[in-house]
């Protein structure tokens, strides 16, 4: 499969032939960054999937399989600074992610309208992109528990987790796997509903070393103030919006949806029962059902 920049490098079908996954993994260059894309073929409108802070495109793998099985075209990428993407540049984080996501949509859409679905930070980016209806052809946006509606609460519990802090402070080398498990364990305990905490780790490839975790936490410190400073203008959004929340989300509670509903009276809100902050992993089938008719 050809990358969105027209130059595919080492494209291979992920999981073939063991599980016959339709997901194709390849490298793409966008807005000065080189990153990894996971893509499935199908009909449109295509769906662009944007992950949250500390995650990667891997969080969308189950949903990509679902969409492919139902014949829907979709793509997920590692955002700059996460997964296998090149690092962010010094300076404000959100404008860099905006430019990257806008170029992804423009190049991948090939002139056709697309749906942008984003989780947490990715949901914030989806709403920011929707502020400019004349620049991008959007069939709609589906923010999943988007950041930016109220004070972000996802960062402190991870940074302050005793095990994470202890491993980062030790004066001797620590196996990267221990650090990665501490980080993902702290995140999982806060992000997932009680019934889902034992799920397979799908947070991607961040955090292999203490340096990786330290850099990740630093990016969170830099990003949090930006999310406090009115990161999007809801009244400027003209395309259809479907807000999705897990009913048991403790990181970005669904009460935050009231702010969006007040600004966008035509917005729809869907709550997924028995689900925390990661519907794409905890309730993959239900999220696919919500996405498939959207934008058509």
């Amino acid at each position: 499969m050809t990358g969105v920049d027209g130059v595919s490098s080492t494209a291979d079908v992920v999981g073939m032939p063991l599980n016959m996954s339709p997901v194709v993994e390849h490298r793409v260059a966008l807005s000065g960054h080189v990153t990894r894309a996971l893509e499935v073929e199908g009909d449109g409108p295509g769906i662009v999937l944007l992950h949250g802070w500390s995650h990667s495109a891997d969080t969308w793998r189950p949903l990509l399989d679902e969409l492919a099985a139902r014949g829907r075209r979709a793509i997920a990428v590692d955002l700059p600074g996460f997964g296998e993407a090149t690092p962010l540049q010094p300076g404000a984080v959100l404008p860099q992610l905006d430019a990257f996501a806008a170029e992804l949509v423009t190049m991948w859409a090939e002139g056709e309208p697309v749906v942008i679905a984003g989780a947490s930070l990715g949901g914030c980016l989806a709403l920011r992109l929707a502020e400019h209806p004349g620049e991008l052809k959007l069939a709609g946006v589906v923010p999943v528990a988007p950041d930016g509606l109220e004070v972000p609460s996802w960062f402190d519990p991870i940074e302050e987790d005793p095990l994470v802090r202890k491993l980062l402070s030790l004066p001797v080398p620590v196996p990267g796997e221990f650090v990665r498990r501490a980080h993902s364990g702290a995140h999982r305990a806060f992000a997932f509903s009680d019934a889902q905490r034992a799920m397979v780790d799908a947070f991607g490839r961040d955090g292999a070393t203490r340096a990786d975790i330290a850099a990740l936490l630093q990016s969170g410190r830099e990003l949090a103030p930006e999310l406090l400073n009115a990161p999007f203008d809801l009244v400027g959004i003209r395309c259809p919006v479907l807000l999705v929340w897990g009913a048991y989300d403790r990181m970005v509670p669904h009460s935050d949806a009231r702010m969006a509903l007040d600004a966008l009276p035509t917005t729809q809100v869907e709550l997924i029962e028995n689900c925390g902050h990661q519907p794409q992993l905890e309730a993959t089938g239900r999220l696919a059902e919500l996405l498939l008719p959207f934008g058509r």
Side-chain angles (χ1 to χ4, degrees), residues 100-186:
F100 174 89
E103 187 167 327
L104 168 64
V105 171
T106 300
M107 298 296 291
W108 187 73
E110 298 178 344
E112 297 297 324
V114 300
V115 173
I116 303 177
S120 196
L121 172 60
C124 175
L125 295 177
L127 288 169
R128 286 169 65 88
L129 291 175
E131 291 181 54
H132 309 287
E135 299 176 20
L136 301 173
K137 297 182 68 173
L138 301 182
V141 294
V142 183
V144 180
D147 285 328
L149 292 173
E150 292 189 8
V151 177
S153 59
W154 41 257
F155 179 65
D156 289 346
I158 298 171
E159 183 176 45
E160 296 171 3
D161 181 81
L163 183 55
V164 173
R165 292 175 66 89
K166 182 66 174 178
L167 289 175
L168 289 175
S169 66
L170 288 175
V172 296
V174 178
E177 181 65 12
F178 289 172
V179 180
R180 189 191 67 80
R181 287 187 178 184
H183 161 249
S184 62

Side-chain angles (χ1 to χ4, degrees), residues 94 98 118 120-132 141 143-151 225-237 241 243 245 252 256-261 263-264:
L94 287 178
D98 288 341
S120 196
L121 172 60
C124 175
L125 295 177
L127 288 169
R128 286 169 65 88
L129 291 175
E131 291 181 54
H132 309 287
V141 294
V144 180
D147 285 328
L149 292 173
E150 292 189 8
V151 177
E226 295 182 45
L227 295 174
L228 287 174
N229 189 26
F232 40 69
D233 178 13
L234 293 174
V235 297
I237 296 175
V241 177
L243 287 168
W245 248 280
V252 185
D256 288 5
R258 175 54 53 189
M259 183 181 297
L261 288 173
L264 298 168

Side-chain angles (χ1 to χ4, degrees), residues 257-281:
R258 175 54 53 189
M259 183 181 297
L261 288 173
D262 290 343
L264 298 168
T266 59
T267 296
Q268 294 179 280
V269 177
E270 289 283 347
L271 292 182
I272 301 178
E273 294 297 328
N274 301 314
C275 181
H277 189 60
Q278 301 291 335
Q280 67 271 32
L281 296 173

Side-chain angles (χ1 to χ4, degrees), residues 21 26 41 54-55 61 64 98 105 109-110 126 134 191 196 226 229 233 278 288 291:
S21 171
H26 56 94
E41 295 183 334
S54 88
H55 297 174
R61 283 185 184 274
L64 287 167
D98 288 341
V105 171
E110 298 178 344
Q196 298 291 340
E226 295 182 45
N229 189 26
D233 178 13
Q278 301 291 335
L291 282 172

Side-chain angles (χ1 to χ4, degrees), residues 211-224:
D212 293 331
I213 292 294
L216 181 65
L217 293 178
Q218 181 60 33
S219 77
R221 295 185 196 101
E222 294 171 353
L223 180 60

